[in-house]
Amino acid sequence: MPSPGTDPSPYSETMAYTHYTEIPADVAERAARVRLVVFDVDGTLTDGRLWYGEDGRETKVFHVHDGLGLKALQRNGVKVGIITARISHPVSLRAEELGIAHVYQGQKDKRACLTGLLDALRLAPEEAAFVGDDLPDLPAMGIVGLAVATANAHPWVAERAHWRTRLIGGYGAAREVADMILAAQGKAEAERDRWL
Amino acid sequence: MPSPGTDPSPYSETMAYTHYTEIPADVAERAARVRLVVFDVDGTLTDGRLWYGEDGRETKVFHVHDGLGLKALQRNGVKVGIITARISHPVSLRAEELGIAHVYQGQKDKRACLTGLLDALRLAPEEAAFVGDDLPDLPAMGIVGLAVATANAHPWVAERAHWRTRLIGGYGAAREVADMILAAQGKAEAERDRWL
Amino acid sequence: MPSPGTDPSPYSETMAYTHYTEIPADVAERAARVRLVVFDVDGTLTDGRLWYGEDGRETKVFHVHDGLGLKALQRNGVKVGIITARISHPVSLRAEELGIAHVYQGQKDKRACLTGLLDALRLAPEEAAFVGDDLPDLPAMGIVGLAVATANAHPWVAERAHWRTRLIGGYGAAREVADMILAAQGKAEAERDRWL
Amino acid sequence: MPSPGTDPSPYSETMAYTHYTEIPADVAERAARVRLVVFDVDGTLTDGRLWYGEDGRETKVFHVHDGLGLKALQRNGVKVGIITARISHPVSLRAEELGIAHVYQGQKDKRACLTGLLDALRLAPEEAAFVGDDLPDLPAMGIVGLAVATANAHPWVAERAHWRTRLIGGYGAAREVADMILAAQGKAEAERDRWL
């Protein structure tokens, strides 16, 4: 049973970070091969909440911690993509800011979209990771080398993923994936040392 | 006593999903008969927070997980309705996006509104479910076959419901209701397998 | 020590409600005399977060549960007031919607403002309650018959209050105060029964 | 392991406040020397979430509790600065409101910016504190007398800080820092007594 409820804000632990020695061997092996990480948007790069204004405009809420992770991936030769069923301008704005060129919105069939992207980049499915949280992500997660479910994922998605993040979407789950992949590829310490 | 407070974001469990075997027998029986599910808005499809801009415009915050559930209900022949005491344009926008035709805003007497809807759809009260969180929902909850209270409901509402969700409104409570009803009607696996 | 962090959304308990038998005797006595409840805004009717747009406009986030409580107080002959140090249009909009006439914004000296309001309403300080969360609320809390601190209050405020809510500001703390006062005045059951 | 998830809102503890006797001796010594506190923005004065509107405009969410702390620091002769890698108008608005003159946005090299500020103010690095949450804050944190990590900081940042707040950024972490520094400088009681 859950604790009787807590503050939306106060005390907490640090961001989730998975040290190389904490990554399960089979996940580390899968992550070491990854050249492309594709993210769902709602529930994965956001917490799944949809903000509707009176004028019909939508607000999207991303996280600064995720942004640093997506930039670190690209700096280390891992491409980043976005595939989402919905369409909204903030997604384009955020992707542009992070230098993400592979952005596909309005995709009802995420697997088909991912397959096309793999072809264009001449990558094998085993070289790709897909990070998602709900049923429409399952087809794409089913073909990649590394399928990741965020902590807030539907149980049916979580049980079909190779790895689950500790953080929920929109609050650092994508950063956690980035940190883990870089750790599995032996590049985490160099990333950290850039700042020391 | 609550734990001393926690982060608004980090670690979590997966979305709430109620497997067929976890549904109490009397609830399953009630849910199996449901042909119409009516939702309150504030506190049920949202977490009850009201966003006021300087220009008097209101923002509503829905959840992508709920949307998938409401579409799954309709795809399986269960109608979806919305009855709310307040009036705001984002509710209409969200309802249109989800293909929900039965949207009644500005309803002070939710029971009267529901009764009219049942008449129009030629449904008996036992064929309807109502999902709410606060006192104004009680009259409607009192006449339906399946009365559901969200996890954030007032105790007076929770104690009069046939079933309580584990998630709060605006964070997947409606999806949890949809998943449970489809499970009770033996349609959950087929919904999942659409994505496999 | 806090638990290692939790989801911002999922599972929870019901709204806080204090049954008559749970109210400490001295608090019940104080609450029974209350004819006016004055609320601070930021951190009390909201969770203290301040939303700034690029255009300098501010968004305020209230809660639907609080609104029902403030209307119930007024329906039962208890006046409601708002005294806040900041100034923003959403506060006026929300107050108007709830029929609250006594709204004082931009008040650096909350005690002086409260004293003036008591004079105008010909009420003694013992007939007033003040609900706050931070140091600027202390002077007003120091003169009223019932001083309430929200769950998110600064320790210096909490230790000087007659009663502390279980919920934080902006998430139902004001409703909790309203429910408690009506229970102490023997009017809670009648309020509930309006909906049965 | 985390508890199974909790409400984003309900029950909680009070704001974090560190009494003089609770401050570790070495931290108290460092804090006693501080004449300037510099804050990162995203993840430190906010919770790190980035709000993007359809029109490309960004909303920033600060906290009223933090504002009171930043004003108390300045009232007691401790200067306050802001150094952030991103650029947004709400940061300027909030800084102006709090009387913070030293605001540096768009700073990729936070250490260089901080060094320049120290020169301009004729302060030694040991007289400065820097509060941050992620890797880009490490260089600045490495040279100051008091390096503080918010509760939501990356583990690599947390392990290099002299002190960690109990609250996360955007929910009172900055207030906690202000309260601690004033306590270490023997000025906390006087601040409190202003309101008694």
Side-chain angles (χ1 to χ4, degrees):
Chain A
M1 260 300 292
S3 68
T6 49
D7 196 298
S9 55
Y11 320 93
S12 79
E13 295 295 306
T14 56
M15 284 167 62
Y17 175 74
T18 309
H19 191 270
Y20 183 76
T21 57
E22 297 171 305
I23 309 173
D26 70 304
V27 173
E29 205 173 306
R30 290 172 179 280
R33 281 195 295 265
V34 167
R35 314 297 341 139
L36 168 72
V37 187
V38 178
F39 294 89
D40 164 54
V41 171
D42 298 294
T44 301
L45 290 181
T46 79
D47 67 354
R49 302 186 82 198
L50 304 173
W51 307 74
Y52 288 74
E54 291 261 7
D55 55 2
R57 292 185 164 190
E58 203 179 327
T59 299
K60 286 275 180 212
V61 191
F62 300 101
H63 203 287
V64 71
H65 291 172
D66 287 342
L68 280 169
L70 302 191
K71 283 195 279 193
L73 281 173
Q74 296 175 88
R75 197 159 46 226
N76 284 279
V78 177
K79 289 183 166 58
V80 172
I82 288 174
I83 298 180
T84 171
R86 294 173 59 88
I87 300 177
S88 81
H89 191 49
V91 171
S92 309
L93 293 168
R94 181 63 173 154
E96 184 183 8
E97 187 177 40
L98 297 175
I100 300 173
H102 310 293
V103 181
Y104 303 90
Q105 300 197 59
Q107 302 300 315
K108 297 305 171 200
D109 184 340
K110 294 186 181 182
R111 177 159 52 195
C113 178
L114 174 62
T115 302
L117 177 57
L118 290 172
D119 283 351
L121 296 175
R122 298 175 184 267
L123 290 173
E126 305 83 54
E127 294 173 295
F130 192 95
V131 188
D133 74 310
D134 209 345
L135 302 182
D137 301 314
L138 278 178
M141 290 172 67
I143 63 167
V144 292
L146 177 64
V148 178
T150 55
N152 53 312
H154 194 285
W156 290 343
V157 173
E159 69 193 25
R160 282 167 181 78
H162 299 116
W163 196 63
R164 277 186 62 200
T165 63
R166 279 187 289 162
L167 297 175
I168 65 166
Y171 283 87
R175 172 65 168 276
E176 199 181 335
V177 173
D179 280 356
M180 187 275 278
I181 289 175
L182 292 178
Q185 301 192 350
K187 293 167 180 167
E189 273 75 17
E191 263 304 306
R192 179 194 60 201
D193 294 344
R194 291 183 67 234
W195 305 101
L196 296 182
Chain B
M1 260 299 292
S3 69
T6 49
D7 196 298
S9 54
Y11 320 94
S12 80
E13 296 295 307
T14 56
M15 284 168 61
Y17 176 75
T18 310
H19 190 270
Y20 183 77
T21 57
E22 298 171 304
I23 309 174
D26 69 304
V27 174
E29 206 173 304
R30 290 172 179 280
R33 282 195 295 264
V34 168
R35 316 291 347 134
L36 168 72
V37 188
V38 178
F39 294 89
D40 164 54
V41 171
D42 297 295
T44 301
L45 290 181
T46 79
D47 66 353
R49 303 185 80 198
L50 304 172
W51 307 75
Y52 288 74
E54 292 261 7
D55 55 2
R57 292 185 165 189
E58 204 180 327
T59 299
K60 286 278 181 210
V61 191
F62 300 102
H63 203 288
V64 70
H65 291 171
D66 286 343
L68 281 169
L70 301 191
K71 283 196 279 192
L73 281 173
Q74 295 174 89
R75 195 159 47 224
N76 285 279
V78 178
K79 288 182 168 57
V80 172
I82 288 174
I83 299 180
T84 171
R86 295 173 59 87
I87 300 176
S88 81
H89 191 48
V91 171
S92 308
L93 292 168
R94 181 63 173 154
E96 184 183 8
E97 186 176 40
L98 298 175
I100 301 173
H102 311 291
V103 181
Y104 302 90
Q105 300 196 59
Q107 302 300 314
K108 297 303 170 200
D109 185 339
K110 294 186 182 183
R111 178 159 53 196
C113 178
L114 174 62
T115 302
L117 177 57
L118 290 171
D119 283 352
L121 296 176
R122 298 174 183 270
L123 290 173
E126 305 84 56
E127 294 173 295
F130 192 96
V131 189
D133 73 311
D134 209 344
L135 302 181
D137 301 314
L138 278 178
M141 289 172 68
I143 63 167
V144 293
L146 176 65
V148 177
T150 55
N152 54 313
H154 194 284
W156 290 343
V157 173
E159 70 194 23
R160 281 167 181 79
H162 300 115
W163 196 64
R164 275 186 62 200
T165 63
R166 279 187 289 162
L167 297 175
I168 66 167
Y171 283 87
R175 172 67 169 275
E176 199 180 335
V177 173
D179 281 355
M180 186 275 278
I181 289 175
L182 292 178
Q185 301 191 351
K187 292 168 180 165
E189 273 75 15
E191 262 304 307
R192 180 194 60 201
D193 294 344
R194 291 183 67 234
W195 304 101
L196 297 182
Chain C
M1 260 299 293
S3 69
T6 49
D7 196 300
S9 54
Y11 321 94
S12 81
E13 296 294 305
T14 56
M15 284 168 61
Y17 175 75
T18 310
H19 191 269
Y20 182 77
T21 57
E22 298 172 303
I23 309 173
D26 70 303
V27 174
E29 206 173 303
R30 291 172 178 280
R33 280 195 296 265
V34 167
R35 316 291 345 133
L36 167 72
V37 188
V38 178
F39 294 89
D40 163 54
V41 172
D42 298 293
T44 301
L45 290 181
T46 79
D47 66 353
R49 302 186 81 198
L50 304 172
W51 306 75
Y52 287 74
E54 291 261 7
D55 55 1
R57 293 186 163 188
E58 205 181 325
T59 299
K60 286 277 181 210
V61 191
F62 300 101
H63 203 288
V64 71
H65 292 171
D66 287 342
L68 281 170
L70 302 191
K71 284 196 279 191
L73 281 173
Q74 295 174 90
R75 197 159 46 223
N76 285 278
V78 178
K79 289 183 167 56
V80 173
I82 288 174
I83 299 180
T84 172
R86 295 173 58 89
I87 301 177
S88 80
H89 191 49
V91 171
S92 309
L93 293 169
R94 181 63 173 154
E96 184 184 8
E97 187 177 40
L98 297 175
I100 301 172
H102 310 292
V103 180
Y104 303 90
Q105 301 197 58
Q107 301 301 313
K108 297 304 170 198
D109 185 340
K110 294 185 180 182
R111 176 158 56 195
C113 178
L114 174 62
T115 302
L117 177 58
L118 290 171
D119 283 351
L121 296 175
R122 298 173 184 269
L123 290 172
E126 306 82 56
E127 294 173 296
F130 192 94
V131 188
D133 74 310
D134 209 344
L135 302 182
D137 301 314
L138 278 179
M141 290 171 67
I143 63 168
V144 293
L146 175 65
V148 178
T150 55
N152 53 314
H154 194 285
W156 290 342
V157 174
E159 70 193 24
R160 281 166 182 78
H162 299 116
W163 196 63
R164 277 186 63 201
T165 63
R166 279 187 288 162
L167 296 175
I168 66 166
Y171 283 87
R175 172 66 169 276
E176 199 181 335
V177 173
D179 281 356
M180 187 275 279
I181 289 175
L182 292 178
Q185 301 191 349
K187 293 168 178 164
E189 273 74 17
E191 263 305 306
R192 179 194 60 201
D193 295 345
R194 291 182 66 234
W195 305 102
L196 297 182
Chain D
M1 261 298 293
S3 69
T6 49
D7 196 298
S9 54
Y11 321 94
S12 81
E13 296 295 306
T14 56
M15 283 168 62
Y17 175 75
T18 309
H19 190 270
Y20 182 78
T21 58
E22 298 171 304
I23 309 174
D26 71 304
V27 174
E29 206 173 302
R30 291 172 179 280
R33 281 196 294 265
V34 168
R35 316 294 343 136
L36 168 72
V37 188
V38 178
F39 293 89
D40 163 55
V41 172
D42 298 294
T44 301
L45 290 181
T46 79
D47 67 353
R49 302 186 81 198
L50 304 173
W51 308 74
Y52 287 75
E54 291 261 7
D55 55 2
R57 292 185 163 188
E58 203 180 327
T59 299
K60 286 278 180 210
V61 191
F62 300 101
H63 203 287
V64 71
H65 291 172
D66 287 342
L68 281 169
L70 302 191
K71 284 196 280 193
L73 280 174
Q74 296 175 88
R75 197 159 46 224
N76 285 279
V78 177
K79 289 183 167 58
V80 172
I82 288 174
I83 299 181
T84 171
R86 295 173 57 89
I87 300 176
S88 82
H89 191 48
V91 171
S92 309
L93 293 169
R94 180 62 172 156
E96 185 183 9
E97 186 177 41
L98 298 175
I100 301 172
H102 310 292
V103 181
Y104 303 90
Q105 301 197 58
Q107 301 300 314
K108 297 304 170 198
D109 185 340
K110 295 186 181 182
R111 177 159 53 194
C113 178
L114 174 61
T115 302
L117 177 58
L118 290 172
D119 282 352
L121 297 175
R122 297 174 184 268
L123 290 173
E126 305 82 57
E127 294 173 295
F130 192 96
V131 189
D133 74 311
D134 209 343
L135 302 182
D137 301 314
L138 278 178
M141 290 171 68
I143 63 168
V144 293
L146 176 64
V148 178
T150 55
N152 53 312
H154 193 285
W156 291 342
V157 174
E159 71 193 22
R160 280 165 182 79
H162 300 116
W163 196 64
R164 277 186 61 200
T165 63
R166 278 187 288 162
L167 296 176
I168 65 167
Y171 283 87
R175 172 66 168 277
E176 199 180 336
V177 172
D179 280 357
M180 187 274 278
I181 290 174
L182 293 177
Q185 301 192 349
K187 293 167 179 167
E189 273 75 17
E191 263 304 306
R192 180 194 61 200
D193 294 345
R194 293 183 67 234
W195 305 101
L196 296 181

